[in-house]
């Protein structure tokens, strides 16, 4: 995977500029957050307009005001201070705010970039922030939005022949799909840059999946692309060439047995965690949803051979449950049940054990 060809001095300069912009933008991000919290769409648009009038540049309003406020939405939702409906409203208002920004047609286009979320990935806003940033930096951008089926994405690349395709994913459970999308896009001869929270804070999952480039944020991505687009990919390859451990079939087994594993754990939990017998229908539904996600994250961790993906998600789930006053104690017996069913799968057992040991001791 190519690294940024710009110099360290350039990078430090760009980072200092970005943090200066972020500091100037912060009061506006707080104002926007207040408008989002009170579902005040017109108030939010006024904040954006005033921030621009105060001299903040459009890119800073996009990333340091709208992006920062959106990030805060996630923190408040996780802490149960915002409902899912509040989060949806805030995201919709922020999407409107992005659309209201003055982003002119570039006079001399640098080249053409396709920006898309991988299939099953609904987090379109992070990709949209990237797409608008690239437009501001002079690229012609085709923004394809959330959950783009890989076959249709490839069809578009054949027709529009962009210089690079930027693939976004926020959830690590989409990494197997992202891998298929990366190799399929590369097979068309178009280099692939990836980003979004799924790829890890240091981009290590992007490297394992053979992407041609990765950046942590939209600004860094735009800086890298301005310094030079990644090289055209080498010969087409199969996904298993990047991840030889997949030959053990553990990922395939867990992902194909997900529904059966879920039913097995749900049945067994009633025995091991008697408090569940008193659960309301709503609590039962939530538990089922959480367990389904735990199995999906185990599958993703097996795919990548990265126990941290699983352990990190369990910790996150424990925090989410505790914030909602749902006992997170049911996690440990659920992991035991999974381990019993998956007793012939050594990598899964290591991950389940590491995940259990990593849970907060109070659980
Ligand atoms: C809004 C939101 C949603 C919305 C998305 C709507 C939309 N139009 O985007 C909806 C409601 C659909 C949603 C659904 C879910 N969500 Co959600 N969501 C969020 C939230 C609050 C904001 C996301 C966002 O816009 N962030 C703002 C931007 C600025 O984020 P960013 O990643 O930093 O973006 C930058 C970089 O990543 C980079 N970048 C992005 N793409 C690319 C691509 C390339 C090529 C490059 C180089 C760079 C790059 O540039 C961006 C700008 O600088 C986050 C919380 C958060 N803090 O992010 C949770 C969050 C991502 N969601 C989460 C979850 C769990 C879910 C659900 C599973 C919930 C559920 N139980 O159903 C579903 C899954 C849906 C799916 N299949 O994808 C969790 C993920 C937890 C985890 N451990 O992985 C988070 C972190 C919430 C939390 N606080 O815990 N969600």
């Amino acid at each position: 995977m190519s690294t940024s060809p710009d110099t360290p001095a350039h990078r430090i300069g760009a980072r200092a500029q970005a943090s200066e912009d972020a500091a100037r933008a912060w009061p506006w991000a707080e104002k926007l957050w207040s408008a989002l919290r009170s579902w005040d769409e017109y108030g939010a648009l006024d904040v954006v307009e005033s921030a621009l009038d105060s001299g903040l540049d459009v890119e800073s309003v996009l990333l340091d005001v709208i992006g920062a406020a959106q990030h805060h939405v996630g923190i408040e939702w996780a802490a149960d201070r915002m409902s899912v409906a509040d989060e949806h409203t805030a995201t919709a208002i922020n999407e409107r705010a992005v659309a209201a920004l003055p982003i002119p047609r570039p006079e001399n286009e640098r080249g053409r970039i396709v920006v898309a979320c991988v299939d099953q990935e609904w987090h379109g806003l992070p990709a949209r922030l990237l797409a608008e940033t690239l437009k501001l930096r002079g690229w012609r951008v085709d923004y394809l939005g959330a959950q783009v089926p890989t076959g249709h994405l490839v069809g578009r690349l054949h027709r529009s022949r962009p210089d690079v395709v930027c693939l976004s994913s926020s959830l690590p459970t989409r990494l197997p799909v992202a891998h298929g999308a990366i190799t399929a896009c590369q097979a068309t001869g178009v280099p692939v840059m990836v980003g979004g929270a799924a790829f890890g804070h240091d981009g290590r999952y992007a490297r394992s999946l053979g992407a041609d480039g990765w950046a942590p944020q939209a600004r860094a991505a735009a800086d890298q692309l301005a310094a030079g687009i990644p090289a055209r990919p080498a010969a087409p390859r199969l996904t298993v060439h990047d991840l030889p451990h997949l030959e053990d079939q553990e990922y395939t087994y867990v992902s194909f047995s997900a529904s059966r594993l879920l039913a097995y754990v749900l049945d067994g939990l009633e025995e091991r965690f008697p408090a569940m017998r008193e659960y309301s229908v709503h609590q039962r539904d939530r538990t089922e949803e959480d367990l389904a996600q735990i199995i999906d994250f185990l599958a993703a961790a097996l795919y990548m051979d990265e126990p941290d993906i699983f352990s990190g998600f369990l910790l996150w789930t424990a925090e989410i449950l505790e914030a909602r006053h749902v006992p997170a104690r049911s996690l440990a017996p659920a992991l035991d049940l999974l381990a019993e069913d998956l007793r012939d799968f050594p990598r899964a057992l290591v991950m389940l054990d590491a995940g259990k040991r990593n849970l907060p001791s109070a659980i």
Side-chain angles (χ1 to χ4, degrees), residues 25-37 44 47-48 60-77 82 87 90-91 93-94 97 125 129:
W26 188 245
W28 296 107
E30 286 196 321
K31 286 192 176 102
L32 178 58
W33 160 245
S34 300
L36 296 179
R37 193 175 43 185
V47 172
V48 165
S60 188
V61 175
L62 178 71
L63 301 175
D64 306 320
V65 178
I66 299 175
Q70 184 70 14
H71 195 74
H72 200 67
V73 170
I75 294 172
E76 294 296 297
W77 172 81
M82 245 182 150
E87 173 277 310
T91 305
I93 295 176
N94 259 346
L125 192 62
L129 296 178

Short mmCIF file of all heavy atoms in Angstrom, two decimals, residues 25-37 44 47-48 60-77 82 87 90-91 93-94 97 125 129:
data_model
loop_
_atom_site.label_atom_id
_atom_site.label_comp_id
_atom_site.label_asym_id
_atom_site.label_seq_id
_atom_site.Cartn_x
_atom_site.Cartn_y
_atom_site.Cartn_z
N ALA A 25 -12.97 26.73 14.74
CA ALA A 25 -14.32 26.23 14.40
C ALA A 25 -15.08 25.74 15.63
O ALA A 25 -16.31 25.64 15.58
CB ALA A 25 -14.18 25.08 13.39
N TRP A 26 -14.37 25.43 16.70
CA TRP A 26 -15.00 24.76 17.84
C TRP A 26 -16.26 25.45 18.36
O TRP A 26 -17.30 24.80 18.55
CB TRP A 26 -13.96 24.54 18.94
CG TRP A 26 -14.50 23.68 20.03
CD1 TRP A 26 -14.73 24.03 21.32
CD2 TRP A 26 -14.96 22.33 19.91
NE1 TRP A 26 -15.28 22.99 22.02
CE2 TRP A 26 -15.44 21.93 21.17
CE3 TRP A 26 -15.02 21.42 18.85
CZ2 TRP A 26 -15.97 20.66 21.40
CZ3 TRP A 26 -15.55 20.16 19.08
CH2 TRP A 26 -16.02 19.79 20.34
N PRO A 27 -16.21 26.80 18.59
CA PRO A 27 -17.44 27.45 19.10
C PRO A 27 -18.63 27.26 18.15
O PRO A 27 -19.77 27.13 18.60
CB PRO A 27 -17.05 28.93 19.18
CG PRO A 27 -15.56 28.96 19.16
CD PRO A 27 -15.10 27.74 18.45
N TRP A 28 -18.33 27.20 16.85
CA TRP A 28 -19.42 27.01 15.88
C TRP A 28 -19.94 25.58 15.95
O TRP A 28 -21.15 25.34 15.82
CB TRP A 28 -18.95 27.34 14.46
CG TRP A 28 -18.58 28.78 14.33
CD1 TRP A 28 -17.31 29.29 14.24
CD2 TRP A 28 -19.47 29.91 14.36
NE1 TRP A 28 -17.36 30.66 14.18
CE2 TRP A 28 -18.67 31.07 14.25
CE3 TRP A 28 -20.85 30.05 14.45
CZ2 TRP A 28 -19.21 32.35 14.23
CZ3 TRP A 28 -21.39 31.32 14.44
CH2 TRP A 28 -20.58 32.45 14.33
N ALA A 29 -19.03 24.64 16.18
CA ALA A 29 -19.46 23.23 16.32
C ALA A 29 -20.38 23.10 17.54
O ALA A 29 -21.37 22.37 17.51
CB ALA A 29 -18.24 22.31 16.46
N GLU A 30 -20.02 23.82 18.61
CA GLU A 30 -20.87 23.75 19.82
C GLU A 30 -22.25 24.35 19.55
O GLU A 30 -23.26 23.80 19.99
CB GLU A 30 -20.19 24.49 20.96
CG GLU A 30 -19.03 23.68 21.50
CD GLU A 30 -18.55 24.16 22.85
OE1 GLU A 30 -18.52 25.40 23.05
OE2 GLU A 30 -18.21 23.30 23.67
N LYS A 31 -22.26 25.46 18.79
CA LYS A 31 -23.57 26.08 18.46
C LYS A 31 -24.39 25.13 17.59
O LYS A 31 -25.60 24.98 17.77
CB LYS A 31 -23.36 27.40 17.71
CG LYS A 31 -22.88 28.53 18.60
CD LYS A 31 -22.99 29.86 17.85
CE LYS A 31 -22.61 31.01 18.74
NZ LYS A 31 -21.30 31.57 18.55
N LEU A 32 -23.71 24.51 16.63
CA LEU A 32 -24.44 23.58 15.75
C LEU A 32 -24.98 22.40 16.59
O LEU A 32 -26.13 21.97 16.40
CB LEU A 32 -23.52 23.06 14.64
CG LEU A 32 -24.15 22.05 13.68
CD1 LEU A 32 -25.39 22.62 12.98
CD2 LEU A 32 -23.14 21.59 12.62
N TRP A 33 -24.16 21.93 17.51
CA TRP A 33 -24.59 20.83 18.36
C TRP A 33 -25.87 21.21 19.13
O TRP A 33 -26.81 20.43 19.22
CB TRP A 33 -23.45 20.41 19.30
CG TRP A 33 -23.93 19.64 20.49
CD1 TRP A 33 -23.86 20.03 21.79
CD2 TRP A 33 -24.61 18.38 20.48
NE1 TRP A 33 -24.44 19.09 22.59
CE2 TRP A 33 -24.92 18.06 21.81
CE3 TRP A 33 -25.00 17.50 19.47
CZ2 TRP A 33 -25.60 16.91 22.17
CZ3 TRP A 33 -25.69 16.35 19.83
CH2 TRP A 33 -25.97 16.06 21.16
N SER A 34 -25.92 22.45 19.65
CA SER A 34 -27.12 22.90 20.40
C SER A 34 -28.34 22.86 19.49
O SER A 34 -29.43 22.45 19.90
CB SER A 34 -26.99 24.33 20.90
OG SER A 34 -25.91 24.42 21.72
N ALA A 35 -28.16 23.29 18.22
CA ALA A 35 -29.30 23.28 17.29
C ALA A 35 -29.73 21.84 17.00
O ALA A 35 -30.92 21.52 16.95
CB ALA A 35 -28.92 24.00 16.00
N LEU A 36 -28.75 20.93 16.83
CA LEU A 36 -29.07 19.53 16.52
C LEU A 36 -29.82 18.90 17.68
O LEU A 36 -30.79 18.15 17.50
CB LEU A 36 -27.80 18.72 16.26
CG LEU A 36 -26.94 19.09 15.07
CD1 LEU A 36 -25.71 18.19 15.00
CD2 LEU A 36 -27.74 18.98 13.76
N ARG A 37 -29.36 19.24 18.90
CA ARG A 37 -29.96 18.63 20.09
C ARG A 37 -31.43 19.03 20.23
O ARG A 37 -32.24 18.30 20.76
CB ARG A 37 -29.17 19.06 21.32
CG ARG A 37 -29.49 18.27 22.54
CD ARG A 37 -28.60 18.67 23.68
NE ARG A 37 -28.43 20.13 23.75
CZ ARG A 37 -27.63 20.73 24.61
NH1 ARG A 37 -26.89 20.02 25.42
NH2 ARG A 37 -27.55 22.04 24.65
N ALA A 44 -29.77 25.36 12.73
CA ALA A 44 -28.52 24.74 12.27
C ALA A 44 -28.01 25.42 11.00
O ALA A 44 -26.81 25.70 10.86
CB ALA A 44 -28.76 23.25 12.01
N VAL A 47 -26.42 28.67 11.85
CA VAL A 47 -25.07 28.53 12.42
C VAL A 47 -24.06 28.37 11.29
O VAL A 47 -23.00 29.01 11.27
CB VAL A 47 -25.00 27.30 13.37
CG1 VAL A 47 -23.56 27.04 13.81
CG2 VAL A 47 -25.90 27.49 14.58
N VAL A 48 -24.39 27.53 10.32
CA VAL A 48 -23.47 27.27 9.21
C VAL A 48 -23.22 28.58 8.43
O VAL A 48 -22.07 28.91 8.10
CB VAL A 48 -24.06 26.17 8.30
CG1 VAL A 48 -23.38 26.11 6.96
CG2 VAL A 48 -23.94 24.82 9.01
N SER A 60 -13.45 23.93 6.46
CA SER A 60 -13.45 23.87 7.92
C SER A 60 -14.89 23.76 8.45
O SER A 60 -15.14 23.04 9.42
CB SER A 60 -12.74 25.10 8.47
OG SER A 60 -12.59 24.96 9.85
N VAL A 61 -15.82 24.45 7.81
CA VAL A 61 -17.21 24.33 8.26
C VAL A 61 -17.69 22.88 8.04
O VAL A 61 -18.33 22.28 8.90
CB VAL A 61 -18.13 25.34 7.52
CG1 VAL A 61 -19.59 25.11 7.91
CG2 VAL A 61 -17.71 26.77 7.83
N LEU A 62 -17.31 22.33 6.90
CA LEU A 62 -17.72 20.96 6.58
C LEU A 62 -17.17 19.96 7.60
O LEU A 62 -17.90 19.13 8.15
CB LEU A 62 -17.19 20.61 5.17
CG LEU A 62 -17.46 19.21 4.64
CD1 LEU A 62 -18.94 19.04 4.32
CD2 LEU A 62 -16.63 18.95 3.37
N LEU A 63 -15.85 20.05 7.86
CA LEU A 63 -15.21 19.01 8.67
C LEU A 63 -15.14 19.34 10.16
O LEU A 63 -15.36 18.48 11.00
CB LEU A 63 -13.79 18.75 8.15
CG LEU A 63 -13.72 18.29 6.69
CD1 LEU A 63 -12.28 18.17 6.23
CD2 LEU A 63 -14.45 16.97 6.50
N ASP A 64 -14.83 20.62 10.48
CA ASP A 64 -14.59 20.97 11.89
C ASP A 64 -15.87 21.44 12.58
O ASP A 64 -15.91 21.51 13.80
CB ASP A 64 -13.52 22.06 11.99
CG ASP A 64 -12.24 21.67 11.28
OD1 ASP A 64 -11.87 20.50 11.37
OD2 ASP A 64 -11.65 22.52 10.58
N VAL A 65 -16.88 21.82 11.79
CA VAL A 65 -18.15 22.21 12.42
C VAL A 65 -19.16 21.06 12.24
O VAL A 65 -19.56 20.43 13.22
CB VAL A 65 -18.69 23.53 11.81
CG1 VAL A 65 -20.02 23.89 12.45
CG2 VAL A 65 -17.67 24.66 12.02
N ILE A 66 -19.51 20.75 11.00
CA ILE A 66 -20.54 19.72 10.77
C ILE A 66 -20.01 18.33 11.19
O ILE A 66 -20.67 17.60 11.92
CB ILE A 66 -21.00 19.72 9.30
CG1 ILE A 66 -21.61 21.09 8.96
CG2 ILE A 66 -21.99 18.59 9.03
CD1 ILE A 66 -21.99 21.29 7.51
N GLY A 67 -18.79 18.00 10.74
CA GLY A 67 -18.21 16.68 11.09
C GLY A 67 -18.06 16.53 12.60
O GLY A 67 -18.39 15.49 13.16
N ALA A 68 -17.57 17.61 13.25
CA ALA A 68 -17.36 17.52 14.71
C ALA A 68 -18.69 17.38 15.43
O ALA A 68 -18.81 16.58 16.38
CB ALA A 68 -16.61 18.77 15.20
N ALA A 69 -19.71 18.12 15.01
CA ALA A 69 -21.02 18.01 15.67
C ALA A 69 -21.59 16.60 15.47
O ALA A 69 -22.17 16.02 16.39
CB ALA A 69 -21.98 19.07 15.11
N GLN A 70 -21.38 16.04 14.28
CA GLN A 70 -21.89 14.69 14.01
C GLN A 70 -21.19 13.66 14.90
O GLN A 70 -21.80 12.73 15.40
CB GLN A 70 -21.67 14.36 12.53
CG GLN A 70 -22.24 13.02 12.11
CD GLN A 70 -23.76 13.01 12.08
OE1 GLN A 70 -24.39 14.06 12.14
NE2 GLN A 70 -24.34 11.85 12.04
N HIS A 71 -19.90 13.87 15.08
CA HIS A 71 -19.14 12.97 15.94
C HIS A 71 -19.72 13.01 17.36
O HIS A 71 -19.86 11.98 18.01
CB HIS A 71 -17.69 13.44 15.95
CG HIS A 71 -16.76 12.40 16.49
ND1 HIS A 71 -16.41 11.28 15.79
CD2 HIS A 71 -16.16 12.30 17.69
CE1 HIS A 71 -15.62 10.54 16.53
NE2 HIS A 71 -15.45 11.13 17.69
N HIS A 72 -20.10 14.20 17.79
CA HIS A 72 -20.66 14.36 19.13
C HIS A 72 -22.01 13.64 19.24
O HIS A 72 -22.36 13.12 20.31
CB HIS A 72 -20.80 15.84 19.46
CG HIS A 72 -20.91 16.08 20.93
ND1 HIS A 72 -19.87 15.82 21.79
CD2 HIS A 72 -21.94 16.48 21.69
CE1 HIS A 72 -20.26 16.07 23.02
NE2 HIS A 72 -21.52 16.47 23.00
N VAL A 73 -22.74 13.60 18.16
CA VAL A 73 -24.03 12.87 18.15
C VAL A 73 -23.78 11.42 18.56
O VAL A 73 -24.52 10.86 19.38
CB VAL A 73 -24.68 12.92 16.74
CG1 VAL A 73 -25.87 11.98 16.64
CG2 VAL A 73 -25.09 14.35 16.39
N GLY A 74 -22.70 10.83 18.02
CA GLY A 74 -22.38 9.43 18.35
C GLY A 74 -22.08 9.26 19.83
O GLY A 74 -22.52 8.29 20.46
N ILE A 75 -21.34 10.22 20.39
CA ILE A 75 -20.98 10.13 21.82
C ILE A 75 -22.25 10.20 22.67
O ILE A 75 -22.44 9.42 23.61
CB ILE A 75 -20.01 11.28 22.18
CG1 ILE A 75 -18.69 11.06 21.44
CG2 ILE A 75 -19.79 11.37 23.69
CD1 ILE A 75 -17.71 12.21 21.55
N GLU A 76 -23.14 11.12 22.33
CA GLU A 76 -24.36 11.29 23.13
C GLU A 76 -25.30 10.10 22.99
O GLU A 76 -25.94 9.70 23.94
CB GLU A 76 -25.08 12.58 22.69
CG GLU A 76 -24.29 13.83 23.02
CD GLU A 76 -24.10 14.03 24.52
OE1 GLU A 76 -25.10 14.19 25.22
OE2 GLU A 76 -22.95 13.98 24.98
N TRP A 77 -25.35 9.51 21.77
CA TRP A 77 -26.19 8.34 21.57
C TRP A 77 -25.65 7.17 22.41
O TRP A 77 -26.40 6.49 23.11
CB TRP A 77 -26.26 7.96 20.08
CG TRP A 77 -26.97 6.65 19.91
CD1 TRP A 77 -28.32 6.45 19.90
CD2 TRP A 77 -26.36 5.35 19.81
NE1 TRP A 77 -28.59 5.10 19.78
CE2 TRP A 77 -27.41 4.41 19.73
CE3 TRP A 77 -25.04 4.91 19.77
CZ2 TRP A 77 -27.17 3.05 19.60
CZ3 TRP A 77 -24.81 3.55 19.66
CH2 TRP A 77 -25.87 2.64 19.57
N MET A 82 -29.19 10.50 23.91
CA MET A 82 -29.91 10.78 22.67
C MET A 82 -30.54 9.46 22.21
O MET A 82 -29.86 8.43 22.23
CB MET A 82 -28.90 11.21 21.61
CG MET A 82 -29.04 12.62 21.14
SD MET A 82 -27.83 12.96 19.86
CE MET A 82 -28.74 14.17 18.96
N GLU A 87 -30.90 10.81 17.03
CA GLU A 87 -29.69 10.66 16.19
C GLU A 87 -30.07 10.77 14.71
O GLU A 87 -29.39 11.45 13.94
CB GLU A 87 -29.03 9.31 16.52
CG GLU A 87 -27.87 8.93 15.62
CD GLU A 87 -28.36 8.27 14.35
OE1 GLU A 87 -29.18 7.34 14.40
OE2 GLU A 87 -27.96 8.75 13.28
N ALA A 90 -30.77 14.41 13.92
CA ALA A 90 -29.53 15.20 13.86
C ALA A 90 -28.79 14.92 12.55
O ALA A 90 -28.29 15.84 11.89
CB ALA A 90 -28.66 14.86 15.06
N THR A 91 -28.73 13.64 12.17
CA THR A 91 -28.00 13.29 10.93
C THR A 91 -28.70 13.92 9.72
O THR A 91 -28.03 14.45 8.82
CB THR A 91 -27.93 11.75 10.77
OG1 THR A 91 -27.34 11.20 11.95
CG2 THR A 91 -27.08 11.36 9.58
N ILE A 93 -30.48 16.63 9.67
CA ILE A 93 -30.24 18.08 9.66
C ILE A 93 -28.81 18.36 9.16
O ILE A 93 -28.58 19.26 8.35
CB ILE A 93 -30.45 18.68 11.07
CG1 ILE A 93 -31.93 18.55 11.48
CG2 ILE A 93 -30.00 20.13 11.11
CD1 ILE A 93 -32.23 19.02 12.90
N ASN A 94 -27.87 17.54 9.62
CA ASN A 94 -26.49 17.74 9.17
C ASN A 94 -26.35 17.50 7.67
O ASN A 94 -25.56 18.16 6.99
CB ASN A 94 -25.55 16.82 9.96
CG ASN A 94 -24.84 17.59 11.06
OD1 ASN A 94 -24.86 18.83 11.06
ND2 ASN A 94 -24.23 16.88 11.98
N ALA A 97 -27.36 20.55 6.12
CA ALA A 97 -26.34 21.58 6.30
C ALA A 97 -25.22 21.41 5.27
O ALA A 97 -24.73 22.38 4.68
CB ALA A 97 -25.78 21.52 7.72
N LEU A 125 -22.77 9.46 5.63
CA LEU A 125 -22.31 10.84 5.88
C LEU A 125 -20.78 10.96 5.91
O LEU A 125 -20.24 11.90 5.30
CB LEU A 125 -22.95 11.40 7.15
CG LEU A 125 -22.75 12.90 7.34
CD1 LEU A 125 -23.38 13.72 6.21
CD2 LEU A 125 -23.33 13.36 8.67
N LEU A 129 -18.78 13.54 3.54
CA LEU A 129 -17.83 14.59 3.96
C LEU A 129 -16.56 14.49 3.12
O LEU A 129 -15.99 15.51 2.72
CB LEU A 129 -17.49 14.44 5.46
CG LEU A 129 -18.66 14.64 6.44
CD1 LEU A 129 -18.19 14.43 7.87
CD2 LEU A 129 -19.28 16.02 6.30
#
